[in-house]
Amino acid sequence: MKTMKDIIKEISRWTSIIISVLMFVVACSDDKEDGAPGEPAPAAPTITDFVPPHGVPGVTITITGTGLKEANEVTVGGKQVELTGEATDTEIKVMTTEEVTGGKIKVTTPYGTAETVSEFVVDAVFQTPSLTVVPQDNVSYWDIITLEGENLDIVEKVFFGTVEARIIREDEATRAVEGASVTELKVEVPYYDTTDAVNIFLEYTNEDNELVKMDTQKSFTVTPREPKLDAVSSIDADFFDQISLTGTDLHLVEKVIFGTTEAVIDKENSNSTVLKVTVPYYEEEEPVTITLVYRYGAEDNVAEGRRSESVDKFAAKKVQPEDVECPESIMPGTVFEITGKNLLMVETVKIGDYVVAIDKEASTQEKLVCSLPGDISEGSTGNNFVIVYWNGMKTKTVSTNIEIKVQANIIIRNVVLATDNGTARYYSLTTGNYYTASDYTEVQDTEILVEFSRKGGANDANNNYNRINASVYKNNVVPRHGFPLFFRRLNKNVNTDETPIVDFIKGTSAENVENTPITMEKMLALGYDNTNADGSVGGTNKSREYTYIDYKLNDDKWNDGTLSATAAIAGIQPGDIQVVVIRKSNKSGEDRTVLGLGFIEMVSIDKGEISADPNGDAKTASWTVNLYFPKDILSVADKVIRE
């Protein structure tokens, strides 16, 4: 009896026999399909070469090798291509497509696959530019338009007919991204001398590096627009005012003409819609037309330019000086006033042959503060009084009967002396110049200088005053500089009535300081007391004189001369006149001969900050004085004792 182990062995043996028989049957079947028994199986394909190695999409590639006849798939860079023509075992042909971007060639047959070592290269296809849209609806010269088309990024120049246009390149960054797909090109329409239609030409470099100028067969017709003036910022501005003209196409304007007179254009601040112009002076009395003179560019050879006129007319305000009046008699070197209206527009004033100096800072619309040159030596009558304004374009004669009255002496009126006039405390009595402590020494021997000083002290009657003295002249200094000056108040502490001299100086007598020279002889004839205190004349003694003039801010008795004999000589108050005596020397024992006389008239006194200090403050006080000296007074400089 068979055991279970024997049964299992028997089954395994029969299973092996059955499998062997089946494998034999299958092998016999395969041998039948591949060929006759004993023949070799077909080999896998091989590729030995392909031509061309590169080409544009659509090119035919010839592939050579072995086992190619039964190729059922060919790819280039992974993209399947179509077989074309008759295939042989050693050669097949394929045609590339737009999808092929290059790469290795792979051929597949039922027996295997072959792939090239090198890659097929797809050549770039050169795309010529073209135009599809040319805007031209109401397009004028210098307008910027956008041309539409294909491959416009390679365009180097654009021509309207034969005239080159400017290409606007602001979109270069965009074109760099878009590459050959660029479809827009901005150009500025150039000026060309015809309004007929012209063709647009594009110039570019082709694939052979040749410059090509291509007629796009697209025409363009320009519609020229002239500059148009729509509005004026101020239709009644005045001459030389700047105004704004607004309109369209104003960038073409070369000139702006008011009536017949050309205006100045502020080109820096003007543009295509605004012209900034300065209204010119023009002679026309009636409102004028504003004419715009323009060209369509440098090549627009219209002889006098093209013209466009304003619809509205412009009327300048023509503000002028009015009611102008001048003193009938004027002295050289003196300040006088011209009155009227709108006087600040006056640029020049002439009296006779002389140009009048105008103090612009002190002048107003109703008053011009003026002076004639001080070196006029001869007087004259019947002089024309002329004003010039409107940038020299208008001259008006106001009067024909002005007298230039040459004064007989040096007269300087309304001089303000202040101790805090900057640092200029020294004043020339004969030239009107101020000097500082550092520069007065340069002129101390050639000009008659005084120093205006102060001493302040609250509640101190004796030490709160302002003073004029000749402190530039120092005793016991060798060499001694400056002029020895002494002072004496007229009509105080004298033996004669000096009222006629006061009238002479103030101009209330027929013979006065304006028409009669100041001399010692004349002053003696009028009652000048030149005696010494002891009754003698001349010599080495002073003649009722002092070395300074004082005004004490809180001592009226000193000022009116009733306090003492010194006050009668050295004090001063508004209305008083002090004699300025110039001597050879102020040193005792030396010759004190009088070399000349002059006069200081006190006009007024400003006591300064009296509200802050009830006793006055000499630091802020000032004097206003008039000065009178002979014209030849400086000629005595070489007679002064210096050593």
Side-chain angles (χ1 to χ4, degrees):
M1 188 175 193
K2 292 183 180 179
T3 64
M4 182 60 66
K5 185 175 181 182
D6 293 334
I7 294 170
I8 292 171
K9 285 182 179 181
E10 189 71 19
I11 291 171
S12 259
R13 185 173 65 85
W14 282 108
T15 301
S16 297
I17 293 169
I18 292 169
I19 291 172
S20 297
V21 171
L22 289 173
M23 288 180 65
F24 175 78
V25 172
V26 171
C28 289
S29 175
D30 287 344
D31 289 344
K32 237 177 192 185
E33 291 180 5
D34 290 342
E39 292 183 5
T46 64
I47 300 174
T48 57
D49 196 10
F50 65 90
V51 291
H54 61 85
V56 297
V59 70
T60 297
I61 304 174
T62 300
I63 304 168
T64 57
T66 63
L68 302 177
K69 184 174 183 178
E70 295 187 45
N72 52 29
E73 182 182 72
V74 180
T75 61
V76 179
K79 302 290 185 180
Q80 189 168 345
V81 293
E82 294 285 337
L83 287 162
T84 181
E86 185 179 352
T88 69
D89 192 55
T90 59
E91 181 180 281
I92 59 174
K93 297 178 184 291
V94 294
M95 182 180 291
T96 63
T97 63
E98 293 288 343
E99 287 76 20
V100 174
T101 59
K104 294 181 179 181
I105 299 173
K106 183 184 290 186
V107 177
T108 302
T109 72
Y111 311 108
T113 300
E115 186 177 55
T116 60
V117 176
S118 60
E119 295 184 351
F120 175 78
V121 177
V122 176
D123 294 336
V125 179
F126 185 84
Q127 302 289 330
T128 59
S130 63
L131 289 184
T132 56
V133 177
V134 179
Q136 50 190 314
D137 183 19
N138 193 33
V139 176
S140 184
Y141 302 118
W142 313 118
D143 284 355
I144 295 175
I145 62 175
T146 301
L147 304 177
E148 297 180 28
E150 296 291 339
N151 307 308
L152 299 180
D153 60 323
I154 68 171
V155 174
E156 298 172 20
K157 293 182 180 180
V158 178
F159 294 86
F160 285 67
T162 59
V163 180
E164 183 179 353
R166 183 170 70 94
I167 298 177
I168 310 301
R169 296 292 190 185
E170 289 87 351
D171 61 343
E172 284 185 353
T174 303
R175 291 194 291 110
V177 173
E178 294 178 353
S181 66
V182 165
T183 58
E184 292 185 350
L185 186 62
K186 290 183 180 180
V187 296
E188 184 179 66
V189 178
Y191 172 77
Y192 50 88
D193 193 15
T194 180
T195 55
D196 296 337
V198 296
N199 277 10
I200 294 180
F201 293 80
L202 304 179
E203 188 171 282
Y204 62 93
T205 302
N206 66 13
E207 68 270 30
D208 297 323
N209 204 31
E210 297 172 336
L211 197 62
V212 177
K213 188 174 182 179
M214 179 186 74
D215 187 346
T216 64
Q217 302 300 315
K218 292 291 184 181
S219 65
F220 174 83
T221 302
V222 72
T223 306
R225 296 190 306 270
E226 67 177 20
K228 183 181 178 183
L229 183 59
D230 294 331
V232 179
S233 63
S234 178
I235 203 66
D236 61 350
D238 210 347
F239 296 142
F240 312 109
D241 288 346
Q242 188 180 81
I243 62 175
S244 296
L245 308 181
T246 56
T248 55
D249 297 293
L250 300 181
H251 58 290
L252 301 173
V253 175
E254 295 180 347
K255 297 179 182 179
V256 177
I257 299 175
F258 286 70
T260 59
T261 306
E262 184 176 347
V264 175
I265 303 175
D266 181 359
K267 293 186 180 294
E268 184 176 346
N269 294 303
S270 298
N271 53 48
S272 61
T273 58
V274 178
L275 282 180
K276 297 283 189 180
V277 298
T278 300
V279 179
Y281 170 78
Y282 54 81
E283 294 287 352
E284 290 90 339
E285 294 295 329
E286 299 299 320
V288 297
T289 298
I290 299 177
T291 302
L292 307 179
V293 180
Y294 66 97
R295 298 177 194 273
Y296 289 118
E299 302 303 320
D300 187 1
N301 295 317
V302 179
E304 299 298 325
R306 305 173 190 270
R307 292 175 178 254
S308 173
E309 294 186 347
S310 63
V311 175
D312 297 325
K313 294 194 173 184
F314 178 86
K317 289 182 179 179
K318 299 183 179 179
V319 175
Q320 303 181 48
E322 297 177 0
D323 305 330
V324 182
E325 294 185 357
C326 175
E328 294 182 355
S329 179
I330 303 171
M331 289 187 296
T334 61
V335 175
F336 66 95
E337 293 181 357
I338 295 172
T339 59
K341 299 176 182 177
N342 307 318
L343 295 182
L344 287 180
M345 66 186 308
V346 174
E347 298 148 9
T348 306
V349 175
K350 293 182 179 179
I351 294 180
D353 296 329
Y354 304 102
V355 175
V356 172
I358 302 174
D359 185 345
K360 293 289 187 180
E361 292 187 1
S363 298
T364 66
Q365 290 285 19
E366 292 75 35
K367 176 184 69 176
L368 291 182
V369 178
C370 307
S371 61
L372 273 173
D375 58 355
I376 299 175
S377 58
E378 295 185 6
S380 58
T381 58
N383 292 290
N384 289 340
F385 167 35
V386 177
I387 58 174
V388 181
Y389 52 97
W390 285 345
N391 281 13
M393 303 302 297
K394 186 68 173 180
T395 300
K396 180 186 290 187
T397 300
V398 180
S399 174
T400 59
N401 192 32
I402 302 298
E403 177 188 16
I404 296 178
K405 186 176 182 181
V406 176
Q407 53 198 26
N409 300 286
I410 298 172
I411 302 175
I412 307 176
R413 301 184 188 276
N414 297 316
V415 174
V416 177
L417 301 177
T419 58
D420 277 7
N421 181 17
T423 56
R425 296 190 298 127
Y426 298 96
Y427 186 79
S428 171
L429 299 179
T430 52
T431 65
N433 294 324
Y434 288 93
Y435 297 96
T436 66
S438 61
D439 62 14
Y440 81 88
T441 56
E442 298 176 6
V443 296
Q444 62 184 346
D445 292 337
T446 57
E447 295 185 24
I448 299 178
L449 299 180
V450 294
E451 181 183 12
F452 190 70
S453 59
R454 68 172 185 265
K455 187 165 185 180
N459 303 310
D460 186 348
N462 294 321
N463 291 295
N464 199 3
Y465 57 80
N466 294 93
R467 169 177 292 180
I468 285 179
N469 59 28
S471 61
V472 293
Y473 188 90
K474 302 293 185 181
N475 283 325
N476 302 317
V477 175
V478 178
R480 291 171 286 172
H481 294 289
F483 287 80
L485 302 183
F486 297 90
F487 309 96
R488 177 175 69 78
R489 183 157 43 177
L490 287 177
N491 267 340
K492 293 285 185 179
N493 194 22
V494 293
N495 298 319
T496 62
D497 181 7
E498 296 179 327
T499 301
I501 302 176
V502 175
D503 295 338
F504 177 88
I505 298 301
K506 293 188 175 183
T508 56
S509 58
E511 278 192 322
N512 57 61
V513 72
E514 292 184 357
N515 55 40
T516 303
I518 297 172
T519 64
M520 178 60 79
E521 291 74 20
K522 183 64 181 176
M523 296 304 101
L524 290 173
L526 292 175
Y528 180 70
D529 187 351
N530 69 334
T531 61
N532 299 317
D534 59 4
S536 63
V537 177
T540 59
N541 294 319
K542 293 183 292 183
S543 176
R544 297 189 177 88
E545 300 158 2
Y546 226 80
T547 57
Y548 55 80
I549 306 171
D550 276 355
Y551 179 85
K552 296 190 177 182
L553 298 179
N554 46 13
D555 192 342
D556 291 339
K557 289 186 177 181
W558 171 273
N559 299 327
D560 65 19
T562 60
L563 182 65
S564 64
T566 301
I569 299 172
I572 195 169
Q573 61 185 355
D576 283 351
I577 296 175
Q578 278 272 356
V579 183
V580 180
V581 182
I582 304 172
R583 295 183 177 273
K584 278 190 174 184
S585 173
N586 73 335
K587 251 186 126 177
S588 299
E590 287 189 351
D591 188 352
R592 294 190 177 181
T593 301
V594 174
L595 300 179
L597 298 177
F599 299 91
I600 297 176
E601 177 186 7
M602 175 67 81
V603 177
S604 62
I605 291 176
D606 181 350
K607 293 188 177 182
E609 299 175 356
I610 57 175
S611 59
D613 182 351
N615 299 298
D617 184 357
K619 179 178 180 180
T620 60
S622 63
W623 297 2
T624 299
V625 299
N626 295 333
L627 307 173
Y628 309 92
F629 284 86
K631 285 187 174 181
D632 61 352
I633 191 63
L634 292 176
S635 64
V636 304
D638 60 348
K639 299 177 183 178
V640 174
I641 299 174
R642 304 278 181 205
E643 296 181 357

